[in-house]
Amino acid sequence: MRPATTPVQRPGDARLLAIDADGRLRDLPRTRLVQLLMPGDLLIANDAATLPASLAGVHGPSGAPIEVRLAGRPSLDPADVGRFTAIVFGGGDHRTPTEYRADPPPLRPGDALRLGPLTATVRRVFTQRRRIEIAFDARPDAVWAGIAAHGRPIQYAHIAAPLALWDVWTAIAARPVAFEPPSAGFVLDWALLDSLHRRGVGFQTLTHAAGLSSTGDAALDNLLPFDEAYELPDATVAAIAAAKACGRRVVALGTTVTRALEHAASLDGIPRAGSGLATQQLGPKTALRVVDAIVSGTHEAGTSHYELLRAFADDDVLRRADRLLAERGYRTHEFGDSVWVERRRGSVQPRSNLNTATLASRLGQRRTIAPFWIPNESRIRKPSRRASTSKSA
Amino acid sequence: MNTTLFDRPPLRVAITGGTSGLGLALVEALHARGAAIAFVARNARAVADVARRFPGSHGIVADVSRKDDTHRIALQINAALGGLDVLVNNASSLGPVPLRLLADTDCEDLEAALATNLLGPFRLTKALLGALTASARSGRAAVVVNITSDAAATPYSGWGAYGASKAALSHLSRIWDEELRALGVRAIAVDPGDMDTPLHALAVPDADPATLKRPRDAALDVIAAIEAAWPAPASARTVRAEANA
């Protein structure tokens, strides 16, 4: 594969490699994505907006230049911006590959970091180099304003030009809680959502604080993904129940959606609405309990994203897919091409846990707001006279 | 209907131009009704003053006419409120002051009026559409209010830059509403009438304030318009009702 080097979310020639439940591969234009979803299926996306989480600044005690990359916080609570985990580099910027970036000066708890209009204090230094916890010395509104004014989107050496926020926000971006873009969602625009609606495919969202994809440190990269906070709305849980009750599929748009949904269902296979902190790593041993298929970027073997795909497909299938991706010149990284991977046939979902009656009764006990976009063919919108009329010259 | 719009959890509202005139009156009226409020204005001191006056409100210093400010504003609104139910695009520019005949209006003055009155509301709505549709999917309100003027409909001499930009904003609102209804989001244009505001004083310095509407009354009209636009359009209500059946 080759890196996608321009920040275009929906290039006209984007490709989609579809891997079905029997391990068959199809190389498709990505515009065919909608046709892979069947009426009644439910597509779930991560609507997190991406923070400008790269903060250039100075290490107070030494005066040395640093780049702080915010990497996590304990919850999505708007007021909970006191503490962040972060990765720190020395001077330089994204144009140097992370593995060659200079280390920061020695950091100690209590050190002050001057980050543009913001000041932060080092609270904790982890055993892995470059990883720390910081606390901002300001009220929440001032922290958000400071990050908005001074931060830059985290980016990597494969894209030289500085990214703007609009480059990394998906069309549906809402709360600014992601540290790197939930880039599988770049495939979305409002016309695609309209196509899903017309086809009777459900669409819902969750909000998941997507973390860093690389730190440049092998030991640290092995720990990825770090803990990620998420929120799963009642409406999304209700739509999952409705889709499962009809034997339809839940399709996750991206690794973050998969991680959040499987974490929210980790107790007994039934996703719980509300807030959570996803701590698990997904891989070949993971039994998927909610997600039937994933739409993701193309990933290289060895990355945590690739490991997650191994929960869906067998290694020999993924190896065949890798060869095809290479042969056909698929692009990788956040602005690259996509894969669609169905959970392998024969991997029995623990259906006993996803018993429809249980789900229905549990949902009945809660004050659940039913989803607005219930996936159902019979509700395909009939175009109104106005809507179907395009202006003639 | 009051009880639905301002019921718990608090309605989350963002208002541009929130430190004077109608915007300030809206901050006051919505604050009194328990709404969670973020407001935007250019002057840092005025923003801090209003934020202090209405405890719990969130002030954002930015200029809606600047493209580069769009996502910073959206970021801070969504961060402060944890999402968004109602966006009020209220910040407005008169164009050249004192008012000029269109033939005497500099291109740059027309561009400036369009940047504040048309492009700003368009960009901010677009950047906040993810949050608004998320609200709609959760059964909450999702309304965009664009503040317009009778100058958008009537061709008053001397009001060219302002009137043309507000006319475009009115039509933009109608197209937004047509396209967003299926998503459960309403977009409405509201003409608050001639008010006793700093903007009106700039346009008509010798107007008798007694003949002008008080911003406080206009704010109540805007809130009534939001309530009329909500609950969601019938199509979305139908789907919800079926889902509950």
Side-chain angles (χ1 to χ4, degrees):
Chain A
M1 285 185 290
R2 58 205 167 104
T5 53
T6 45
V8 179
Q9 295 193 1
R10 287 173 298 283
D13 60 350
R15 305 298 303 175
L16 177 68
L17 183 73
I19 305 176
D20 76 11
D22 296 312
R24 285 177 300 224
L25 310 181
R26 276 194 298 166
D27 170 25
L28 303 167
R30 201 164 71 185
T31 48
R32 291 279 300 280
L33 172 63
V34 173
Q35 279 89 50
L36 295 178
L37 289 147
M38 303 311 289
D41 285 349
L42 175 65
L43 182 68
I44 303 180
N46 179 1
D47 71 359
T50 303
L51 284 167
S54 163
L55 303 171
V58 172
H59 174 238
S62 68
I66 52 171
E67 179 193 348
V68 172
R69 293 185 174 185
L70 303 178
R73 63 185 176 116
S75 80
L76 303 187
D77 182 340
D80 188 9
V81 285
R83 292 189 176 214
F84 285 84
T85 55
I87 300 297
V88 191
F89 298 113
D93 64 24
H94 70 272
R95 288 169 296 184
T96 304
T98 44
E99 57 268 36
Y100 302 123
R101 286 293 295 272
D103 278 330
L107 301 167
R108 287 177 201 83
D111 285 359
L113 308 177
R114 293 196 301 275
L115 307 167
L118 294 167
T119 308
T121 307
V122 176
R123 290 291 182 196
R124 183 178 167 198
V125 179
F126 289 81
T127 50
Q128 307 94 15
R129 66 190 184 123
R130 297 183 174 180
R131 187 184 185 194
I132 60 172
E133 184 180 289
I134 62 171
F136 286 111
D137 311 321
R139 284 148 38 100
D141 280 355
V143 172
W144 291 115
I147 291 173
H150 182 65
R152 312 273 331 168
I154 290 175
Q155 66 179 108
Y156 295 95
H158 59 274
I159 294 178
L163 293 173
L165 267 185
W166 54 77
D167 290 322
V168 295
W169 279 27
T170 61
I172 59 162
R175 297 166 61 182
V177 298
F179 300 96
E180 285 189 16
S183 52
F186 287 165
V187 66
L188 295 175
D189 63 15
W190 297 97
L192 186 143
L193 294 179
D194 193 50
S195 302
L196 293 176
H197 187 39
R198 286 164 190 275
R199 193 171 163 80
V201 175
F203 177 77
Q204 291 292 342
T205 50
L206 54 80
T207 307
H208 183 98
L212 306 193
S213 55
S214 171
T215 69
D217 178 286
L220 212 43
D221 282 352
N222 277 335
L223 300 176
L224 295 176
F226 295 143
D227 295 353
E228 293 166 327
Y230 65 87
E231 252 173 51
L232 183 56
D234 284 336
T236 304
V237 169
I240 291 169
K244 293 286 185 187
C246 307
R248 302 302 189 180
R249 297 175 299 178
V250 170
V251 179
L253 189 54
T255 55
T256 60
V257 173
T258 306
R259 195 182 189 209
L261 289 175
E262 295 298 333
H263 187 269
S266 53
L267 194 62
D268 58 4
I270 300 172
R272 296 280 190 293
S275 315
L277 186 68
T279 53
Q280 86 282 33
Q281 288 184 317
L282 285 82
K285 297 204 173 89
T286 305
L288 297 165
R289 305 169 100 171
V290 180
V291 180
D292 299 295
I294 181 174
V295 183
S296 181
T298 62
H299 303 297
E300 279 160 348
T303 62
S304 65
H305 292 96
Y306 189 91
E307 285 302 294
L308 185 143
L309 296 184
R310 294 176 71 198
F312 288 84
D314 292 337
D315 286 352
D316 62 312
V317 173
L318 291 177
R319 273 194 292 272
R320 277 193 291 120
D322 290 344
R323 279 196 297 275
L324 195 60
L325 291 171
E327 277 168 30
R328 301 287 167 95
Y330 270 60
R331 289 165 294 204
T332 188
H333 298 316
E334 69 274 39
F335 295 103
D337 297 302
S338 303
V339 294
W340 159 289
V341 188
E342 294 173 9
R343 186 165 43 79
R344 61 179 77 74
R345 197 180 304 284
S347 58
V348 180
Q349 250 182 333
R351 283 277 167 195
S352 56
N353 290 333
L354 266 172
N355 179 296
T356 309
T358 316
L359 263 174
S361 69
R362 184 167 305 186
L363 284 163
Q365 287 158 11
R366 339 169 24 121
R367 207 169 147 269
T368 304
I369 298 157
F372 151 68
W373 261 355
I374 286 289
N376 185 330
E377 243 177 321
S378 67
R379 300 210 183 90
I380 297 174
R381 180 164 61 108
K382 290 191 184 63
S384 69
R385 186 177 57 82
R386 288 288 305 283
S388 61
T389 308
S390 48
K391 182 170 161 38
S392 51
Chain B
M1 209 172 285
N2 267 340
T3 51
T4 57
L5 193 61
F6 291 99
D7 213 355
R8 301 279 146 193
L11 190 72
R12 301 167 299 186
V13 188
I15 301 157
T16 67
T19 54
S20 72
L22 176 60
L24 178 60
L26 276 167
V27 169
E28 183 168 14
L30 289 162
H31 189 263
R33 283 162 176 73
I37 296 165
F39 63 91
V40 184
R42 287 173 294 183
N43 184 302
R45 181 178 293 238
V47 166
D49 285 348
V50 173
R52 252 194 310 276
R53 216 175 118 193
F54 302 102
S57 69
H58 305 274
I60 297 166
V61 181
D63 182 347
V64 296
S65 74
R66 288 169 39 97
K67 181 183 175 188
D68 284 348
D69 278 8
T70 309
H71 287 73
R72 288 184 202 140
I73 296 170
L75 185 160
Q76 290 176 77
I77 288 172
N78 279 324
L81 304 181
L84 185 68
D85 304 319
V86 178
L87 168 65
V88 185
N89 287 307
N90 164 72
S92 299
S93 160
L94 268 180
V97 179
L99 298 181
R100 281 190 205 148
L101 296 176
L102 208 43
D104 291 327
T105 299
D106 290 335
C107 297
E108 290 75 8
D109 282 339
L110 178 59
E111 284 175 7
L114 287 168
T116 303
N117 299 345
L118 180 68
L119 297 175
F122 167 70
R123 286 191 292 246
L124 201 52
T125 303
K126 200 173 164 209
L128 288 166
L129 208 46
L132 289 164
T133 52
S135 267
R137 279 193 302 273
S138 294
R140 301 180 64 130
V143 183
V144 179
V145 182
N146 292 320
I147 300 299
T148 57
S149 161
D150 64 330
T154 306
Y156 297 121
S157 173
W159 292 72
Y162 183 78
S165 62
K166 288 294 189 182
L169 179 65
S170 290
H171 201 59
L172 189 81
S173 311
R174 296 170 63 197
I175 295 173
W176 273 132
D177 198 46
E178 188 69 24
E179 293 186 353
L180 298 180
R181 266 175 190 252
L183 301 169
V185 179
R186 296 296 316 274
I188 56 173
V190 179
D191 167 16
D194 286 353
M195 297 173 291
D196 179 15
T197 62
L199 186 129
H200 194 275
L202 273 177
V204 191
D206 50 357
D208 174 6
T211 64
L212 297 171
K213 197 166 166 182
R214 290 183 309 167
R216 185 182 303 173
D217 297 330
L220 297 181
D221 292 345
V222 172
I223 292 171
I226 297 168
E227 284 171 336
W230 189 256
S235 58
R237 271 210 309 278
T238 311
V239 174
R240 255 196 298 279
E242 286 174 37
N244 284 324

